Amino acid sequence: MNSFTHLNADGNPAMVDVGAKTVTRRTARAQAIVTLGPAIMQHLNGADIATKKGPVFQTAIIAGTMAAKRTDDLIPLCHSLGLDNCQITITTDGDDAIVSCLVSTEGKTGVEMEALVGASVAALTIYDMCKAFSHDIIIKETKLMEKTGGKRDFHRE
């Protein structure tokens, strides 16, 4: 039977004790899709969109990486993790920007939240930098695509 892991015996919020867990290689990849629409995509030049604030996708990659490294500051019960790697890629498909965040570490707990935060903040940065062109931007389908390490692996089809 599954139960919520971040509750103590009294039903109060608690950080999960990972002290007895084995250190293993942990990876996670998350994805967020940002629908920008034709008004914004017409500004795509090569692999990025240039704005007065700077290159949109390059800035989003930096912001997402910084956020992934600070996940424990944003989500109260997440463990502090030293990430071995964080790679964010942004591709386009029609009017969509597809943000992918791949994170890895050697540790006692997974990096799913770090990957999700990295993809989310990169998507929010794209929104912030493009809103001057249009507010008709939709951030959708932020989801975990895969994780390895720990009790079980997960792969989304």
Side-chain angles (χ1 to χ4, degrees):
M1 182 170 116
N2 290 335
S3 62
F4 290 106
T5 57
H6 288 84
L7 297 175
N8 66 16
D10 297 325
N12 292 314
M15 184 179 255
V16 174
D17 183 354
V18 297
K21 287 187 171 185
T22 305
V23 172
T24 60
R25 178 85 174 149
R26 312 287 185 128
T27 66
R29 184 171 58 87
Q31 174 182 287
I33 298 174
V34 185
T35 300
L36 296 168
I40 295 171
M41 290 306 288
Q42 71 178 345
H43 297 282
L44 183 67
N45 185 7
D48 211 336
I49 299 170
T51 71
K52 290 179 183 179
K53 293 181 179 181
V56 173
F57 297 161
Q58 290 179 35
T59 304
I61 289 168
I62 293 167
T65 302
M66 290 174 65
K69 295 189 309 181
R70 303 292 301 268
T71 298
D72 63 313
D73 287 338
L74 301 170
I75 301 176
L77 301 177
C78 281
H79 291 85
S80 299
L81 297 176
L83 301 183
D84 293 334
N85 191 22
C86 179
Q87 297 293 320
I88 296 178
T89 58
I90 302 172
T91 57
T92 58
D93 182 15
D95 289 342
D96 292 338
I98 298 104
V99 178
S100 179
C101 179
L102 176 65
V103 178
S104 64
T105 194
E106 295 281 330
K108 294 182 176 189
T109 188
V111 288
E112 299 98 298
M113 296 311 300
E114 287 74 10
L116 286 161
V117 166
S120 297
V121 170
L124 288 166
T125 301
I126 293 170
Y127 186 105
D128 178 53
M129 294 188 73
C130 291
K131 69 183 184 225
F133 294 123
S134 171
H135 283 90
D136 191 21
I137 301 168
I138 302 168
I139 298 173
K140 61 183 183 180
E141 295 185 22
T142 301
K143 58 189 171 187
L144 180 67
M145 300 303 291
E146 61 184 310
K147 78 153 207 95
T148 63
K151 289 182 185 176
R152 60 188 174 279
D153 291 348
F154 170 82
H155 299 280
R156 186 178 303 279
E157 295 299 322

